[in-house]
Amino acid sequence: MSRLVMKFGGTSVATVERIHNVARHVKREVEAGHQVAVVVSAMSGKTNELVAWCKEAAPLHDMREYDAVVASGEQVTAGLLAIALQKIGISARSWQGWQIPVLTDDAHGAARIQDIEAKGILGGFTRGEVAVVAGFQGIHAPTGRITTLGRGGSDTSAVALAAAIGADRCDIYTDVDGVYTTDPRVVPKARRMEKVAFEEMLEMASLGAKVLQVRSVEVALVHDVPTYVRSSFDDPENPRSGTLICKEEDILEAQVVTGIAFSRDEAQITLRRVADKPGVAAAVFMPLAEAGINVDMIVQTVSEDNMTDMTFTVGAADYDRARALLEQGKNGVGFASISGARDVAKVSAIGVGMRSHAGVAAQGFRALADKGINIRAITTSEIKFSVLIDAAYTELAVRTLHTLYGLDAG
Amino acid sequence: MSRLVMKFGGTSVATVERIHNVARHVKREVEAGHQVAVVVSAMSGKTNELVAWCKEAAPLHDMREYDAVVASGEQVTAGLLAIALQKIGISARSWQGWQIPVLTDDAHGAARIQDIEAKGILGGFTRGEVAVVAGFQGIHAPTGRITTLGRGGSDTSAVALAAAIGADRCDIYTDVDGVYTTDPRVVPKARRMEKVAFEEMLEMASLGAKVLQVRSVEVALVHDVPTYVRSSFDDPENPRSGTLICKEEDILEAQVVTGIAFSRDEAQITLRRVADKPGVAAAVFMPLAEAGINVDMIVQTVSEDNMTDMTFTVGAADYDRARALLEQGKNGVGFASISGARDVAKVSAIGVGMRSHAGVAAQGFRALADKGINIRAITTSEIKFSVLIDAAYTELAVRTLHTLYGLDAG
């Protein structure tokens, strides 16, 4: 008998009617002979409502209390789905994070799963019982307080649970039917991938593709959990295919470039005439790191007269804070001026095939230049390259690369 | 240092703005030097919404799942109030039923509190911390499942917690400023009582006065917890007086009759020509008891030719079910016909002074008769009498008795 984790997000459980539909998906898998654990998010909109209440209670609030408040959303859905399953003759019970327990650290609001004790759920399986698990939540055992994993954490709950119970697969049901070569709203010729490697999906998720939370892909990679992205809006009795995220070696016909990702949530900061001496990078970036601001692309011009220009990107939400911190430290660091731009975008091409193919990135730079797109900064890794461009050119750049690398649907 | 439990119901925490107001009430008591535990209900309307979802998921549903779903309402309010308290400089933390723990039996949906382990909350007190407790909920320890106490259960949570932590008083904040001699909407001359005895309050709550849940008064009586009913809509810095529910001997100027209660949620059933033989009452009432239908007033006419008429009341919500059950058992019991009425009301006069004063009820019956009000049934106890009348006469009967027993405001 095989074991399966099924995960349903907020839009899939937005109403009781949709929860009934989810129950039919679960029934199909139970009748196919699987032992099933279902992980659910809060009903769409509920988490936002709860977060807004916390902010209204106090803009800066105790994250332990925030966790107690927002974890209630998944609690409701888990109970309702258990009821809906029982109604159609499927034995089921709900499990809160603290009941399983899903043990986490105490980083309230963004806790990390340390261990999942699967005994109770496995016991239920032997009684033919579906486990309906409240996603996104756990417990910090030493204090006994409820924790949450941060936005999108239910994906991580699902993959970690799949690892803990030794599931053969983790099915992530979303409002799309799989992972696409790029966003179909931008490139109508985008194709659904049959399979994508963990490493590629990790880059895509990091670089702006919103179909899965980054941490869930990390967990899937580390524990080798085949993860299947598919649509919850399919006919439960006759679902379509999705995209399987799996090991590289399980993909036969690998392409050089698999997908194009993009993000408009970027902002660029440039420091002019920074003294080019040891320790200056630390002086610039340490204060940002201490304030929890992630710095992404960093470009430094070649030094003249021991002075250099330094360009880097931060998340758009951190832009004002980052500029203020840099202005504060201006005398310590020593630079002539600071400038920045919010209307920038990062466009990335990803593919494990890049490892073995030289010149893939250079081809891309050339194609963008041919379209008159100015590249402000570049970063590369073994399996992707990213360019920072003016936001106005985002769609053009994505389409250009999508066509260049042969990703357009036939 | 004295200890205080404060309880706020759904309308008092209906919005975050009102939760801020509750925080100011709590602050006043903390600054007066009390160690404070606050028990909160779900935001007004939330429990109804959650119950409706459970019914939509399945009309007949697993009450263990129902409890998991509906307990989330109080979880939210407890977290929000803890945040609101911290915002105004009061150290506070939320406690879910399972965290304390509040140990209950496994009668899901209507569980009874068996024990409250106060250690964690008392530990918080020594650190100057207010305990914000999610009312209405507990845990059945052997299964680890969430339980709820049934409607109005937060009152019971509060009084039981007061007993467990040895509180000097339990303050129940509601949308009225105390317990009245009768419903002021019916009798404008109704007066707020300064004090009322536990036993009297118990009768009033049982007989239709909705200010407190019956079980909470039972717990207050058994554990001798002075319970103070007061308004949450007062100025938190300058609150008015409420009504203290306390031991009979703590009330100096006891009146013969303390209050008039009434209930329109009654229905009357009459069986004509029942065989007057041993075991017939059991044959009538056992099937109703087995179906969970409470029978209240029972009147049996004097037997002629070994036949008798039997009249009794059930809750209006149970009327149809009760009639159907009796029709089913008609041949077994043996009666000629069944009739009933929904448009009846029960009016009651309550007072511990009745114990020592004869003829109190007889005076009442006479006064009602003088107004042309027909009495369909009567029940009495040591400290109250109730009459069943046509619903149309309810207000007239209440006003008549209120005046008769000297309860009208001067």
Side-chain angles (χ1 to χ4, degrees), chain A residues 16 20 56-58 61-62 65 68 72 75-76 82-83 86-87 93-94 98-99 144-145, chain B residues 16 20 56-58 61-62 65 68 72 75-76 82-83 86-87 93-94 98-99 144-145:
Chain A
V16 176
H20 282 304
E56 194 184 341
H61 42 255
D62 185 341
E65 301 303 345
S72 67
Q75 178 167 336
V76 170
I83 291 173
Q86 292 173 1
K87 182 162 185 257
R93 76 154 276 193
S94 68
W98 59 267
Q99 287 175 322
R145 305 294 294 260
Chain B
V16 176
H20 282 303
E56 195 185 340
H61 42 255
D62 185 341
E65 301 302 345
S72 67
Q75 177 167 335
V76 170
I83 290 174
Q86 292 173 1
K87 183 162 185 255
R93 76 153 276 193
S94 68
W98 57 268
Q99 288 176 320
R145 304 294 295 260

mmCIF file of all heavy atoms in Angstrom, chain A residues 16 20 56-58 61-62 65 68 72 75-76 82-83 86-87 93-94 98-99 144-145, chain B residues 16 20 56-58 61-62 65 68 72 75-76 82-83 86-87 93-94 98-99 144-145:
data_model
loop_
_atom_site.group_PDB
_atom_site.id
_atom_site.type_symbol
_atom_site.label_atom_id
_atom_site.label_comp_id
_atom_site.label_asym_id
_atom_site.label_seq_id
_atom_site.Cartn_x
_atom_site.Cartn_y
_atom_site.Cartn_z
ATOM 1 N N VAL A 16 -17.242 26.193 1.966
ATOM 2 C CA VAL A 16 -17.568 24.817 2.341
ATOM 3 C C VAL A 16 -17.851 23.999 1.079
ATOM 4 O O VAL A 16 -17.505 22.814 1.008
ATOM 5 C CB VAL A 16 -18.752 24.787 3.330
ATOM 6 C CG1 VAL A 16 -19.163 23.353 3.636
ATOM 7 C CG2 VAL A 16 -18.387 25.512 4.620
ATOM 8 N N HIS A 20 -16.081 20.453 0.057
ATOM 9 C CA HIS A 20 -16.715 19.212 -0.409
ATOM 10 C C HIS A 20 -16.002 18.679 -1.655
ATOM 11 O O HIS A 20 -15.833 17.472 -1.816
ATOM 12 C CB HIS A 20 -18.195 19.448 -0.716
ATOM 13 C CG HIS A 20 -19.064 19.500 0.508
ATOM 14 N ND1 HIS A 20 -19.107 18.472 1.413
ATOM 15 C CD2 HIS A 20 -19.899 20.452 0.975
ATOM 16 C CE1 HIS A 20 -19.946 18.796 2.395
ATOM 17 N NE2 HIS A 20 -20.439 19.993 2.155
ATOM 18 N N GLU A 56 -4.254 45.763 13.907
ATOM 19 C CA GLU A 56 -5.156 46.755 14.495
ATOM 20 C C GLU A 56 -5.020 46.747 16.026
ATOM 21 O O GLU A 56 -5.125 47.786 16.674
ATOM 22 C CB GLU A 56 -6.597 46.434 14.076
ATOM 23 C CG GLU A 56 -7.574 47.573 14.339
ATOM 24 C CD GLU A 56 -9.008 47.179 14.003
ATOM 25 O OE1 GLU A 56 -9.222 46.200 13.256
ATOM 26 O OE2 GLU A 56 -9.921 47.850 14.518
ATOM 27 N N ALA A 57 -4.765 45.568 16.590
ATOM 28 C CA ALA A 57 -4.587 45.479 18.047
ATOM 29 C C ALA A 57 -3.301 46.190 18.459
ATOM 30 O O ALA A 57 -3.254 46.873 19.486
ATOM 31 C CB ALA A 57 -4.574 44.017 18.495
ATOM 32 N N ALA A 58 -2.254 46.064 17.660
ATOM 33 C CA ALA A 58 -0.993 46.803 17.892
ATOM 34 C C ALA A 58 -0.120 46.608 16.664
ATOM 35 O O ALA A 58 0.126 45.466 16.265
ATOM 36 C CB ALA A 58 -0.273 46.297 19.147
ATOM 37 N N HIS A 61 3.471 43.753 17.366
ATOM 38 C CA HIS A 61 2.820 42.864 18.314
ATOM 39 C C HIS A 61 3.672 41.637 18.606
ATOM 40 O O HIS A 61 4.517 41.232 17.817
ATOM 41 C CB HIS A 61 1.438 42.462 17.811
ATOM 42 C CG HIS A 61 1.416 42.136 16.346
ATOM 43 N ND1 HIS A 61 0.897 42.963 15.393
ATOM 44 C CD2 HIS A 61 1.895 41.072 15.674
ATOM 45 C CE1 HIS A 61 1.052 42.437 14.204
ATOM 46 N NE2 HIS A 61 1.646 41.275 14.346
ATOM 47 N N ASP A 62 3.413 41.063 19.756
ATOM 48 C CA ASP A 62 4.045 39.835 20.220
ATOM 49 C C ASP A 62 3.763 38.729 19.204
ATOM 50 O O ASP A 62 2.617 38.335 19.003
ATOM 51 C CB ASP A 62 3.417 39.506 21.583
ATOM 52 C CG ASP A 62 4.059 38.311 22.256
ATOM 53 O OD1 ASP A 62 4.724 37.517 21.568
ATOM 54 O OD2 ASP A 62 3.869 38.190 23.483
ATOM 55 N N GLU A 65 1.625 35.736 20.201
ATOM 56 C CA GLU A 65 0.169 35.935 20.155
ATOM 57 C C GLU A 65 -0.333 35.943 18.709
ATOM 58 O O GLU A 65 -1.390 35.398 18.402
ATOM 59 C CB GLU A 65 -0.213 37.241 20.865
ATOM 60 C CG GLU A 65 0.207 37.301 22.332
ATOM 61 C CD GLU A 65 -0.365 36.161 23.166
ATOM 62 O OE1 GLU A 65 -1.301 35.484 22.726
ATOM 63 O OE2 GLU A 65 0.151 35.929 24.278
ATOM 64 N N ALA A 68 -0.813 32.444 17.695
ATOM 65 C CA ALA A 68 -2.031 31.841 18.258
ATOM 66 C C ALA A 68 -3.253 32.290 17.463
ATOM 67 O O ALA A 68 -4.163 31.506 17.204
ATOM 68 C CB ALA A 68 -2.181 32.222 19.733
ATOM 69 N N SER A 72 -5.457 29.795 13.914
ATOM 70 C CA SER A 72 -6.861 29.378 14.012
ATOM 71 C C SER A 72 -7.479 29.134 12.633
ATOM 72 O O SER A 72 -8.412 28.358 12.503
ATOM 73 C CB SER A 72 -7.670 30.431 14.769
ATOM 74 O OG SER A 72 -7.751 31.631 14.020
ATOM 75 N N GLN A 75 -7.001 25.596 11.609
ATOM 76 C CA GLN A 75 -7.754 24.745 12.533
ATOM 77 C C GLN A 75 -9.186 24.551 12.034
ATOM 78 O O GLN A 75 -9.717 23.438 12.053
ATOM 79 C CB GLN A 75 -7.736 25.420 13.913
ATOM 80 C CG GLN A 75 -8.525 24.686 14.977
ATOM 81 C CD GLN A 75 -8.221 25.219 16.368
ATOM 82 O OE1 GLN A 75 -7.157 25.798 16.619
ATOM 83 N NE2 GLN A 75 -9.150 25.028 17.281
ATOM 84 N N VAL A 76 -9.782 25.640 11.577
ATOM 85 C CA VAL A 76 -11.159 25.598 11.083
ATOM 86 C C VAL A 76 -11.257 24.695 9.851
ATOM 87 O O VAL A 76 -12.107 23.800 9.779
ATOM 88 C CB VAL A 76 -11.643 27.024 10.748
ATOM 89 C CG1 VAL A 76 -12.972 26.988 10.004
ATOM 90 C CG2 VAL A 76 -11.757 27.856 12.018
ATOM 91 N N ALA A 82 -12.533 17.260 7.675
ATOM 92 C CA ALA A 82 -12.777 15.961 8.316
ATOM 93 C C ALA A 82 -14.271 15.646 8.301
ATOM 94 O O ALA A 82 -14.686 14.524 8.001
ATOM 95 C CB ALA A 82 -12.227 15.962 9.746
ATOM 96 N N ILE A 83 -15.092 16.662 8.610
ATOM 97 C CA ILE A 83 -16.547 16.460 8.579
ATOM 98 C C ILE A 83 -17.013 16.115 7.160
ATOM 99 O O ILE A 83 -17.800 15.184 6.963
ATOM 100 C CB ILE A 83 -17.273 17.731 9.097
ATOM 101 C CG1 ILE A 83 -17.020 17.912 10.602
ATOM 102 C CG2 ILE A 83 -18.777 17.663 8.815
ATOM 103 C CD1 ILE A 83 -17.544 19.232 11.169
ATOM 104 N N GLN A 86 -16.105 12.501 6.304
ATOM 105 C CA GLN A 86 -16.979 11.542 6.979
ATOM 106 C C GLN A 86 -18.337 11.471 6.276
ATOM 107 O O GLN A 86 -18.926 10.403 6.164
ATOM 108 C CB GLN A 86 -17.154 11.941 8.448
ATOM 109 C CG GLN A 86 -15.859 11.802 9.264
ATOM 110 C CD GLN A 86 -16.000 12.347 10.669
ATOM 111 O OE1 GLN A 86 -17.060 12.819 11.063
ATOM 112 N NE2 GLN A 86 -14.921 12.287 11.448
ATOM 113 N N LYS A 87 -18.801 12.630 5.819
ATOM 114 C CA LYS A 87 -20.118 12.677 5.163
ATOM 115 C C LYS A 87 -20.179 11.778 3.928
ATOM 116 O O LYS A 87 -21.226 11.199 3.629
ATOM 117 C CB LYS A 87 -20.436 14.119 4.764
ATOM 118 C CG LYS A 87 -21.811 14.281 4.126
ATOM 119 C CD LYS A 87 -22.276 15.707 4.146
ATOM 120 C CE LYS A 87 -23.693 15.830 3.630
ATOM 121 N NZ LYS A 87 -23.725 16.340 2.265
ATOM 122 N N ARG A 93 -9.912 12.154 10.650
ATOM 123 C CA ARG A 93 -9.892 13.032 11.816
ATOM 124 C C ARG A 93 -8.905 14.172 11.579
ATOM 125 O O ARG A 93 -7.944 14.050 10.837
ATOM 126 C CB ARG A 93 -9.548 12.307 13.126
ATOM 127 C CG ARG A 93 -8.111 11.952 13.310
ATOM 128 C CD ARG A 93 -7.723 11.843 14.798
ATOM 129 N NE ARG A 93 -7.411 13.146 15.363
ATOM 130 C CZ ARG A 93 -6.815 13.325 16.542
ATOM 131 N NH1 ARG A 93 -6.509 12.296 17.299
ATOM 132 N NH2 ARG A 93 -6.531 14.537 16.978
ATOM 133 N N SER A 94 -9.199 15.299 12.227
ATOM 134 C CA SER A 94 -8.328 16.467 12.105
ATOM 135 C C SER A 94 -7.186 16.394 13.107
ATOM 136 O O SER A 94 -7.316 15.811 14.178
ATOM 137 C CB SER A 94 -9.138 17.746 12.351
ATOM 138 O OG SER A 94 -9.553 17.813 13.697
ATOM 139 N N TRP A 98 -0.094 21.084 17.177
ATOM 140 C CA TRP A 98 0.333 20.680 18.530
ATOM 141 C C TRP A 98 -0.139 19.284 18.882
ATOM 142 O O TRP A 98 0.384 18.675 19.818
ATOM 143 C CB TRP A 98 -0.141 21.698 19.575
ATOM 144 C CG TRP A 98 -1.639 21.904 19.620
ATOM 145 C CD1 TRP A 98 -2.353 22.850 18.942
ATOM 146 C CD2 TRP A 98 -2.606 21.167 20.387
ATOM 147 N NE1 TRP A 98 -3.694 22.738 19.217
ATOM 148 C CE2 TRP A 98 -3.880 21.723 20.104
ATOM 149 C CE3 TRP A 98 -2.523 20.094 21.279
ATOM 150 C CZ2 TRP A 98 -5.063 21.249 20.681
ATOM 151 C CZ3 TRP A 98 -3.702 19.617 21.854
ATOM 152 C CH2 TRP A 98 -4.953 20.187 21.559
ATOM 153 N N GLN A 99 -1.123 18.776 18.146
ATOM 154 C CA GLN A 99 -1.626 17.438 18.462
ATOM 155 C C GLN A 99 -0.749 16.350 17.861
ATOM 156 O O GLN A 99 -0.641 15.263 18.425
ATOM 157 C CB GLN A 99 -3.067 17.287 17.964
ATOM 158 C CG GLN A 99 -4.077 18.061 18.807
ATOM 159 C CD GLN A 99 -5.493 18.006 18.256
ATOM 160 O OE1 GLN A 99 -5.699 18.050 17.044
ATOM 161 N NE2 GLN A 99 -6.471 17.933 19.132
ATOM 162 N N GLY A 144 5.438 25.300 24.940
ATOM 163 C CA GLY A 144 4.064 24.884 24.693
ATOM 164 C C GLY A 144 3.254 25.881 23.886
ATOM 165 O O GLY A 144 2.028 25.808 23.858
ATOM 166 N N ARG A 145 3.936 26.829 23.223
ATOM 167 C CA ARG A 145 3.222 27.843 22.450
ATOM 168 C C ARG A 145 3.060 27.411 20.993
ATOM 169 O O ARG A 145 3.944 26.748 20.430
ATOM 170 C CB ARG A 145 3.972 29.189 22.479
ATOM 171 C CG ARG A 145 4.263 29.734 23.861
ATOM 172 C CD ARG A 145 3.037 30.131 24.640
ATOM 173 N NE ARG A 145 2.314 31.257 24.095
ATOM 174 C CZ ARG A 145 2.401 32.513 24.534
ATOM 175 N NH1 ARG A 145 3.221 32.814 25.524
ATOM 176 N NH2 ARG A 145 1.667 33.470 24.009
ATOM 177 N N VAL B 16 -11.980 44.850 17.171
ATOM 178 C CA VAL B 16 -10.696 45.136 17.815
ATOM 179 C C VAL B 16 -10.804 46.407 18.654
ATOM 180 O O VAL B 16 -10.202 46.512 19.724
ATOM 181 C CB VAL B 16 -9.580 45.235 16.757
ATOM 182 C CG1 VAL B 16 -8.261 45.631 17.406
ATOM 183 C CG2 VAL B 16 -9.415 43.910 16.021
ATOM 184 N N HIS B 20 -9.788 46.783 22.607
ATOM 185 C CA HIS B 20 -8.974 47.823 23.246
ATOM 186 C C HIS B 20 -9.685 48.363 24.493
ATOM 187 O O HIS B 20 -9.048 48.646 25.504
ATOM 188 C CB HIS B 20 -8.710 48.968 22.264
ATOM 189 C CG HIS B 20 -7.639 48.669 21.259
ATOM 190 N ND1 HIS B 20 -6.355 48.315 21.626
ATOM 191 C CD2 HIS B 20 -7.635 48.671 19.906
ATOM 192 C CE1 HIS B 20 -5.628 48.114 20.537
ATOM 193 N NE2 HIS B 20 -6.390 48.311 19.475
ATOM 194 N N GLU B 56 -23.071 23.107 7.232
ATOM 195 C CA GLU B 56 -22.990 23.068 5.768
ATOM 196 C C GLU B 56 -22.108 21.894 5.329
ATOM 197 O O GLU B 56 -22.362 21.262 4.299
ATOM 198 C CB GLU B 56 -22.432 24.397 5.259
ATOM 199 C CG GLU B 56 -22.649 24.615 3.763
ATOM 200 C CD GLU B 56 -21.980 25.899 3.263
ATOM 201 O OE1 GLU B 56 -21.694 26.786 4.084
ATOM 202 O OE2 GLU B 56 -21.721 25.974 2.043
ATOM 203 N N ALA B 57 -21.074 21.602 6.125
ATOM 204 C CA ALA B 57 -20.189 20.482 5.785
ATOM 205 C C ALA B 57 -20.931 19.158 5.924
ATOM 206 O O ALA B 57 -20.748 18.251 5.116
ATOM 207 C CB ALA B 57 -18.941 20.503 6.666
ATOM 208 N N ALA B 58 -21.773 19.048 6.954
ATOM 209 C CA ALA B 58 -22.639 17.876 7.126
ATOM 210 C C ALA B 58 -23.636 18.201 8.231
ATOM 211 O O ALA B 58 -23.238 18.579 9.335
ATOM 212 C CB ALA B 58 -21.842 16.626 7.488
ATOM 213 N N HIS B 61 -22.787 15.972 12.217
ATOM 214 C CA HIS B 61 -21.332 15.948 12.105
ATOM 215 C C HIS B 61 -20.680 15.463 13.394
ATOM 216 O O HIS B 61 -21.253 15.546 14.483
ATOM 217 C CB HIS B 61 -20.803 17.326 11.723
ATOM 218 C CG HIS B 61 -21.481 18.452 12.447
ATOM 219 N ND1 HIS B 61 -22.408 19.268 11.858
ATOM 220 C CD2 HIS B 61 -21.386 18.859 13.726
ATOM 221 C CE1 HIS B 61 -22.851 20.139 12.746
ATOM 222 N NE2 HIS B 61 -22.238 19.908 13.887
ATOM 223 N N ASP B 62 -19.484 14.956 13.233
ATOM 224 C CA ASP B 62 -18.632 14.489 14.327
ATOM 225 C C ASP B 62 -18.402 15.653 15.293
ATOM 226 O O ASP B 62 -17.792 16.654 14.931
ATOM 227 C CB ASP B 62 -17.303 14.035 13.690
ATOM 228 C CG ASP B 62 -16.355 13.411 14.690
ATOM 229 O OD1 ASP B 62 -16.524 13.630 15.912
ATOM 230 O OD2 ASP B 62 -15.430 12.711 14.234
ATOM 231 N N GLU B 65 -14.908 17.100 15.711
ATOM 232 C CA GLU B 65 -14.470 18.057 14.690
ATOM 233 C C GLU B 65 -15.167 19.412 14.885
ATOM 234 O O GLU B 65 -14.543 20.463 14.722
ATOM 235 C CB GLU B 65 -14.741 17.502 13.293
ATOM 236 C CG GLU B 65 -14.053 16.173 13.003
ATOM 237 C CD GLU B 65 -12.535 16.242 13.144
ATOM 238 O OE1 GLU B 65 -11.955 17.334 13.184
ATOM 239 O OE2 GLU B 65 -11.910 15.159 13.240
ATOM 240 N N ALA B 68 -13.254 21.288 17.412
ATOM 241 C CA ALA B 68 -12.000 21.845 16.889
ATOM 242 C C ALA B 68 -12.282 23.114 16.100
ATOM 243 O O ALA B 68 -11.542 24.097 16.192
ATOM 244 C CB ALA B 68 -11.282 20.818 16.013
ATOM 245 N N SER B 72 -11.895 27.684 17.725
ATOM 246 C CA SER B 72 -10.970 28.652 17.128
ATOM 247 C C SER B 72 -11.411 30.090 17.394
ATOM 248 O O SER B 72 -10.582 30.998 17.418
ATOM 249 C CB SER B 72 -10.875 28.415 15.616
ATOM 250 O OG SER B 72 -12.104 28.714 14.990
ATOM 251 N N GLN B 75 -9.862 31.334 20.546
ATOM 252 C CA GLN B 75 -8.411 31.373 20.364
ATOM 253 C C GLN B 75 -7.999 32.736 19.788
ATOM 254 O O GLN B 75 -7.028 33.345 20.240
ATOM 255 C CB GLN B 75 -8.017 30.240 19.408
ATOM 256 C CG GLN B 75 -6.546 30.197 19.073
ATOM 257 C CD GLN B 75 -6.174 28.879 18.391
ATOM 258 O OE1 GLN B 75 -6.847 27.857 18.583
ATOM 259 N NE2 GLN B 75 -5.113 28.897 17.628
ATOM 260 N N VAL B 76 -8.768 33.198 18.802
ATOM 261 C CA VAL B 76 -8.472 34.489 18.156
ATOM 262 C C VAL B 76 -8.590 35.629 19.164
ATOM 263 O O VAL B 76 -7.686 36.459 19.301
ATOM 264 C CB VAL B 76 -9.430 34.709 16.968
ATOM 265 C CG1 VAL B 76 -9.319 36.126 16.437
ATOM 266 C CG2 VAL B 76 -9.154 33.688 15.877
ATOM 267 N N ALA B 82 -4.418 39.789 24.370
ATOM 268 C CA ALA B 82 -3.055 39.806 24.909
ATOM 269 C C ALA B 82 -2.229 40.892 24.205
ATOM 270 O O ALA B 82 -1.490 41.649 24.847
ATOM 271 C CB ALA B 82 -2.395 38.430 24.747
ATOM 272 N N ILE B 83 -2.387 40.984 22.883
ATOM 273 C CA ILE B 83 -1.667 42.028 22.127
ATOM 274 C C ILE B 83 -2.120 43.417 22.580
ATOM 275 O O ILE B 83 -1.300 44.311 22.814
ATOM 276 C CB ILE B 83 -1.910 41.839 20.609
ATOM 277 C CG1 ILE B 83 -1.200 40.573 20.112
ATOM 278 C CG2 ILE B 83 -1.415 43.057 19.825
ATOM 279 C CD1 ILE B 83 -1.504 40.210 18.659
ATOM 280 N N GLN B 86 -0.605 44.270 25.973
ATOM 281 C CA GLN B 86 0.816 44.599 25.877
ATOM 282 C C GLN B 86 1.001 46.015 25.330
ATOM 283 O O GLN B 86 1.882 46.747 25.753
ATOM 284 C CB GLN B 86 1.527 43.582 24.980
ATOM 285 C CG GLN B 86 1.585 42.182 25.595
ATOM 286 C CD GLN B 86 2.140 41.145 24.622
ATOM 287 O OE1 GLN B 86 2.488 41.467 23.501
ATOM 288 N NE2 GLN B 86 2.227 39.896 25.067
ATOM 289 N N LYS B 87 0.113 46.381 24.398
ATOM 290 C CA LYS B 87 0.234 47.709 23.779
ATOM 291 C C LYS B 87 0.107 48.834 24.807
ATOM 292 O O LYS B 87 0.730 49.883 24.667
ATOM 293 C CB LYS B 87 -0.851 47.871 22.710
ATOM 294 C CG LYS B 87 -0.755 49.204 21.970
ATOM 295 C CD LYS B 87 -1.511 49.177 20.669
ATOM 296 C CE LYS B 87 -1.306 50.471 19.898
ATOM 297 N NZ LYS B 87 -2.496 51.323 19.967
ATOM 298 N N ARG B 93 -0.257 37.146 28.525
ATOM 299 C CA ARG B 93 -0.141 36.101 27.514
ATOM 300 C C ARG B 93 -1.454 35.341 27.403
ATOM 301 O O ARG B 93 -2.237 35.261 28.355
ATOM 302 C CB ARG B 93 1.019 35.127 27.776
ATOM 303 C CG ARG B 93 0.771 34.110 28.875
ATOM 304 C CD ARG B 93 1.604 32.820 28.655
ATOM 305 N NE ARG B 93 0.955 31.896 27.757
ATOM 306 C CZ ARG B 93 1.312 30.626 27.581
ATOM 307 N NH1 ARG B 93 2.361 30.157 28.220
ATOM 308 N NH2 ARG B 93 0.648 29.837 26.759
ATOM 309 N N SER B 94 -1.685 34.794 26.215
ATOM 310 C CA SER B 94 -2.906 34.034 25.981
ATOM 311 C C SER B 94 -2.712 32.579 26.398
ATOM 312 O O SER B 94 -1.607 32.039 26.344
ATOM 313 C CB SER B 94 -3.291 34.097 24.502
ATOM 314 O OG SER B 94 -2.347 33.402 23.722
ATOM 315 N N TRP B 98 -6.261 23.838 26.041
ATOM 316 C CA TRP B 98 -5.341 22.699 26.122
ATOM 317 C C TRP B 98 -3.992 23.107 26.692
ATOM 318 O O TRP B 98 -3.214 22.243 27.116
ATOM 319 C CB TRP B 98 -5.155 22.045 24.747
ATOM 320 C CG TRP B 98 -4.659 22.958 23.665
ATOM 321 C CD1 TRP B 98 -5.431 23.680 22.803
ATOM 322 C CD2 TRP B 98 -3.308 23.245 23.320
ATOM 323 N NE1 TRP B 98 -4.631 24.399 21.944
ATOM 324 C CE2 TRP B 98 -3.327 24.154 22.234
ATOM 325 C CE3 TRP B 98 -2.057 22.824 23.810
ATOM 326 C CZ2 TRP B 98 -2.162 24.654 21.631
ATOM 327 C CZ3 TRP B 98 -0.905 23.319 23.212
ATOM 328 C CH2 TRP B 98 -0.959 24.231 22.142
ATOM 329 N N GLN B 99 -3.689 24.396 26.690
ATOM 330 C CA GLN B 99 -2.393 24.827 27.214
ATOM 331 C C GLN B 99 -2.398 24.926 28.730
ATOM 332 O O GLN B 99 -1.363 24.721 29.367
ATOM 333 C CB GLN B 99 -2.007 26.186 26.605
ATOM 334 C CG GLN B 99 -1.606 26.087 25.128
ATOM 335 C CD GLN B 99 -1.316 27.434 24.499
ATOM 336 O OE1 GLN B 99 -2.003 28.412 24.761
ATOM 337 N NE2 GLN B 99 -0.306 27.487 23.653
ATOM 338 N N GLY B 144 -6.598 13.681 23.778
ATOM 339 C CA GLY B 144 -5.903 14.873 23.310
ATOM 340 C C GLY B 144 -6.730 15.741 22.390
ATOM 341 O O GLY B 144 -6.196 16.607 21.695
ATOM 342 N N ARG B 145 -8.047 15.539 22.377
ATOM 343 C CA ARG B 145 -8.915 16.321 21.486
ATOM 344 C C ARG B 145 -9.455 17.563 22.198
ATOM 345 O O ARG B 145 -9.721 17.543 23.411
ATOM 346 C CB ARG B 145 -10.101 15.468 21.005
ATOM 347 C CG ARG B 145 -9.734 14.174 20.315
ATOM 348 C CD ARG B 145 -9.020 14.340 18.998
ATOM 349 N NE ARG B 145 -9.785 14.958 17.938
ATOM 350 C CZ ARG B 145 -10.390 14.294 16.939
ATOM 351 N NH1 ARG B 145 -10.324 12.973 16.888
ATOM 352 N NH2 ARG B 145 -11.044 14.929 15.995
#
